């Protein structure tokens, strides 16, 4: 029994080596605690302001979008890199947010804190897109994103000139609305964007409860391009073959339209040369610019035009001698068309079958083709006029009048007494009245007497003022040299 007690007691005796390890472990822990305390006091003593002020933890009053949420986790749109960054929203999650700050009102950190809150305002904007429909205005569009008539009123208090893009919206345009939800659940408009074209974007922003507007333009790079073309059938087809857009073809027709009737005078073998600007943004072409210089050879006679911009930023075309390419009247009201009936005092009417003078020229084209005013003037008459059908008569200074008949409809905004500009659309080709098919009947009158629109001598516009001659010559000379080289190249290719 004694042996058994001795054996049992030996199990309660600790190993000396275990005791030593236990003591060493606790010494290390004590040293670490002491070292931590020393580091804490050193760091605390290095900030005297913190010794005097007591720290408080406060919940940041973020924009009302956060206050209205009953969830611990709140979804919002990722911050924009700039106010003009309208890329698609990237959803992120914000958990509880706290910011520590001192009670000292003079602390610079307070100003930084306030600034950060203001900068974060746009981080919480909700963006909506609205497409403009026919007949839309701001009063109809704003309610679609939850905005009120008051918002419309506040925005329209902007200067009318600055507000222009919003007052002349077109169907298909996209409006981007940036809004915030207020404490009472209503929606506040913070930003609005409208892309006007690939270069210009219109912005409205709320700054300290006041809306401000501006149009931002991208930096563009203009590059000159030289183009030549030859007429085989029509100007339009020749332009497409040469790689021209409809816009450039129409501009070329307008430049030379006072000297060449493109519906009557074109012949196979006629040719043209152009120097145009192409518009690039970030290395990508986005549009065609203006024609800088152009040649058009028709029936062996060459017409040349150079663009010049005066001190009032008006761009017009002149011959190398400084004579205006623009006449008081354009030769034809429908540049890309064909003549179906000429001026003839003894023509037999195709419907009435009687000899009836045809005191104008008929231009055949597809129904709906735009009709252009051949000169600046005032609408003397608009309405239905017997066999003429839907008709517009323009008065040009009292001496001259022009008549446009058989229209399918009038251009919106054209009304009696309203002034129109040369080249402005006044209506569209149709077949109203006594007409066998869609066409325009065009008359030109001098002091009430009918004249042949194809042969009447048109008065010229004023030439380039003498004060611009030196500047014009400096700009025109290198362009003319380029055109001459293009002429030589065309002739060489023809041979």
């Amino acid at each position: 029994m004694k042996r058994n007690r001795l054996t049992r007691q030996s199990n309660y005796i600790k190993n000396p080596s275990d005791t030593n390890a236990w003591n060493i472990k606790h010494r290390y822990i004590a040293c670490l605690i002491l070292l931590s305390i020393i580091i804490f006091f050193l760091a605390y003593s290095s900030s005297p302001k913190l010794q005097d002020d007591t720290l408080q933890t406060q919940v940041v009053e973020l924009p009302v979008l956060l206050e209205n949420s009953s969830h611990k986790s709140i979804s919002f749109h990722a911050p924009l890199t700039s106010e003009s960054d309208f890329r698609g929203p990237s959803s992120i999650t914000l958990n509880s947010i706290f910011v520590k700050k001192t009670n000292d009102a003079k602390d610079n950190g307070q100003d930084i804190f306030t600034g950060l809150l203001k900068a974060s305002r746009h981080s919480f904007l909700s963006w909506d897109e609205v497409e403009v429909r026919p007949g839309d205005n701001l009063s109809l569009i704003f309610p679609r994103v939850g905005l009120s008539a008051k918002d419309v009123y506040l925005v329209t208090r902007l200067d009318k000139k600055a507000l222009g893009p919003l007052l002349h919206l077109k169907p298909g345009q996209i409006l981007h609305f940036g809004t915030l939800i207020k404490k009472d659940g209503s929606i506040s408009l913070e930003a609005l964007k409208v892309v006007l074209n690939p270069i210009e974007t219109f912005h409205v922003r709320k700054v300290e409860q006041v809306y401000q507007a501006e149009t931002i333009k991208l930096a563009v790079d203009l590059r000159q391009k030289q183009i030549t073309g030859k007429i085989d059938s029509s100007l339009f087809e020749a332009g497409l073959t040469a790689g021209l857009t409809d816009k450039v073809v129409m501009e070329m027709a307008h430049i030379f339209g006072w000297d060449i009737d493109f519906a009557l005078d074109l012949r196979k073998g006629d040719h043209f040369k152009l120097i145009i600007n192409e518009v690039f943004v970030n290395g990508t072409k986005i549009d065609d610019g203006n024609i800088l210089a152009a040649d058009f050879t028709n029936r062996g006679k060459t017409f040349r035009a150079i663009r010049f911009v005066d001190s009032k930023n008006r761009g017009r075309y002149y011959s190398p001698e400084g004579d205006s390419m623009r006449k008081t009247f354009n030769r034809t009201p429908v540049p890309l068309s064909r003549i179906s009936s000429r001026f003839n005092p003894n023509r037999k009417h195709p419907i009435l079958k009687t000899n009836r003078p045809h005191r104008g020229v008929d231009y055949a084209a597809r129904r709906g083709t735009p009709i252009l005013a051949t000169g600046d003037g005032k609408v003397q008459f608009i309405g239905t006029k017997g066999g003429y059908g839907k008709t517009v008569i323009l008065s040009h200074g009292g001496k001259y009048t022009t008549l446009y008949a058989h229209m399918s409809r009038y251009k919106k905004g054209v009304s009696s007494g309203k002034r129109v500009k040369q080249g402005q659309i006044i209506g569209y080709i149709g077949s109203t009245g006594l007409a066998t098919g869609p066409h325009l009947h065009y008359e030109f009158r001098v002091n009430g007497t009918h004249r042949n629109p194809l042969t009447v001598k048109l008065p010229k516009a004023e030439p380039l003022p003498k004060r611009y001659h030196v500047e014009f010559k400096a700009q025109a000379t290198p362009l003319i040299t380029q055109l001459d080289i293009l002429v030589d190249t065309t002739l060489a290719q023809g041979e």
Side-chain angles (χ1 to χ4, degrees):
M1 295 297 294
K2 213 183 262 189
R3 182 177 180 181
N4 291 338
R5 281 197 299 267
L6 289 174
T7 302
R8 191 179 298 116
Q9 290 176 354
S10 65
N11 292 336
Y12 292 94
I13 299 176
K14 293 183 178 180
N15 192 331
S17 60
D18 293 341
T19 303
N20 293 335
W22 184 88
N23 293 332
I24 293 173
K25 178 179 179 181
H26 281 76
R27 287 195 193 103
Y28 275 121
I29 294 174
C31 290
L32 288 174
I33 293 174
L34 180 62
L35 182 62
S36 300
I37 294 173
I38 293 173
I39 293 175
F40 174 79
F41 278 102
L42 288 175
Y44 188 84
S45 61
S46 65
S47 179
K49 183 175 288 293
L50 294 179
Q51 290 177 353
D52 298 332
D53 298 328
T54 58
L55 291 177
Q56 293 183 351
T57 301
Q58 298 182 357
V59 178
V60 178
E61 185 178 356
L62 291 172
V64 293
L65 181 65
L66 293 178
E67 297 179 3
N68 291 333
S69 177
S70 60
H71 301 284
K72 295 181 180 179
S73 177
I74 303 169
S75 295
F76 64 99
H77 295 141
L80 303 177
T81 57
S82 68
E83 292 183 3
S84 60
D85 188 351
F86 287 83
R87 292 174 294 181
S90 175
S91 179
I92 61 178
T93 301
L94 176 69
N95 294 317
S96 57
I97 296 180
F98 297 89
V99 174
K100 294 182 179 180
K101 67 184 185 72
T102 65
N103 288 329
D104 191 349
K106 297 181 180 180
D107 189 359
N108 292 334
Q110 175 71 19
D111 296 333
I112 298 175
F113 177 80
T114 304
L116 288 174
L117 280 181
K118 291 181 178 179
S120 69
R121 189 176 185 83
H122 283 275
S123 300
F124 299 90
L125 294 184
S126 175
W127 290 99
D128 294 289
E129 295 183 356
V130 176
E131 182 175 348
V132 179
R133 304 168 186 168
D136 263 349
N137 55 44
L138 298 183
S139 298
L140 298 175
I141 295 174
F142 273 45
R144 295 181 202 162
V145 292
L147 298 174
S148 65
K150 180 180 178 181
D151 297 305
V152 177
Y153 169 73
L154 293 176
V155 170
T156 53
R157 290 180 63 188
L158 290 166
D159 179 76
K160 296 300 180 184
K161 185 176 181 180
L163 193 63
L166 291 182
L167 299 179
H168 300 90
L169 295 173
K170 300 178 180 178
Q173 280 186 303
I174 303 296
L175 275 66
H176 303 261
F177 291 87
T179 58
L180 283 177
I181 301 178
K182 299 167 68 174
K183 293 181 179 180
D184 59 2
S186 62
I187 296 177
S188 171
L189 177 63
E190 301 294 321
L192 173 62
K193 182 187 84 164
V194 184
V195 177
L196 305 179
N197 53 56
I199 300 174
E200 297 178 314
T201 303
F202 178 74
H203 290 266
V204 175
R205 296 184 181 89
K206 182 186 282 187
V207 180
E208 297 182 355
Q209 304 305 313
V210 177
Y211 290 111
Q212 297 180 359
E214 66 175 334
T215 299
I216 298 177
K217 296 184 179 181
L218 297 178
V220 299
D221 178 23
L222 299 179
R223 304 178 187 178
Q224 289 188 12
K225 183 177 182 179
Q226 301 171 346
I227 302 172
T228 63
K230 189 175 181 180
I231 306 298
D232 286 324
S233 57
S234 70
L235 177 64
F236 183 74
E237 291 183 2
L240 291 180
T241 302
L244 300 179
T245 61
D246 293 350
K247 172 185 173 182
V248 176
V249 173
M250 291 299 295
E251 184 178 359
M252 179 169 58
H254 185 68
I255 293 171
F256 296 107
W258 288 276
D259 298 297
I260 303 172
D261 189 332
F262 288 102
L264 176 66
D265 296 337
L266 281 186
R267 294 292 183 271
K268 185 175 182 179
D270 290 350
H271 54 273
F272 59 84
K273 285 76 58 181
L274 300 177
I275 301 174
I276 68 172
N277 268 335
E278 293 184 318
V279 183
F280 285 78
V281 173
N282 296 326
T284 303
K285 179 183 174 181
I286 62 171
D287 198 6
D288 288 312
N290 295 304
I291 295 177
L292 303 178
D295 268 353
F296 201 104
T297 300
N298 172 240
R299 297 185 177 186
K301 184 178 180 180
T302 298
F303 300 91
R304 178 169 285 180
I306 309 295
R307 189 173 191 269
F308 179 77
V309 181
D310 61 19
S311 59
K312 296 182 179 180
N313 203 32
R314 296 178 301 188
R316 294 178 176 173
Y317 292 90
Y318 299 90
S319 70
E321 294 75 29
D323 294 325
S324 177
M325 296 298 295
R326 178 181 181 271
K327 309 299 186 296
T328 306
F329 292 94
N330 201 344
R331 184 63 71 178
T332 174
V334 189
L336 303 180
S337 61
R338 66 178 180 85
I339 294 178
S340 57
S341 183
R342 299 172 183 272
F343 185 89
N344 184 357
N346 302 310
R347 187 193 69 159
K348 187 174 183 179
H349 198 280
I351 296 179
L352 301 178
K353 305 300 181 183
T354 60
N355 288 332
R356 196 169 187 178
H358 190 244
R359 297 190 175 97
V361 176
D362 291 347
Y363 294 91
R366 290 180 300 178
R367 187 183 306 276
T369 300
I371 300 170
L372 312 180
T374 54
D376 295 348
K378 185 169 70 173
V379 180
Q380 178 178 305
F381 174 87
I382 180 170
T384 302
K385 191 176 181 66
Y388 286 119
K390 292 184 177 180
T391 304
V392 171
I393 299 178
L394 302 180
S395 175
H396 309 274
K399 182 178 180 180
Y400 302 96
T401 58
T402 53
L403 178 145
Y404 312 78
H406 304 310
M407 292 184 176
S408 60
R409 59 189 175 95
Y410 311 111
K411 174 67 175 179
K412 184 179 180 180
V414 176
S415 58
S416 182
K418 187 167 184 178
R419 294 196 171 274
V420 296
K421 292 290 186 180
Q422 188 177 57
Q424 179 180 333
I425 298 175
I426 58 175
Y428 302 89
I429 282 182
S431 55
T432 57
L434 295 177
T436 57
H439 72 281
L440 168 70
H441 175 77
Y442 174 64
E443 293 183 3
F444 191 94
R445 303 174 185 176
V446 182
N447 293 324
T449 303
H450 292 84
R451 297 293 181 87
N452 187 346
L454 302 177
T455 59
V456 65
K457 187 176 181 180
L458 300 176
K460 292 185 177 181
E462 294 182 1
L464 181 71
K466 289 184 178 180
R467 65 179 180 274
Y468 294 122
H469 280 193
V470 175
E471 185 180 355
F472 173 73
K473 186 175 181 180
Q475 293 183 17
T477 299
L479 294 172
I480 292 173
T481 300
Q482 293 183 56
L483 289 175
D484 289 337
I485 296 174
L486 287 174
V487 170
D488 294 338
T489 302
T490 304
L491 292 175
Q493 291 175 348
E495 294 176 356

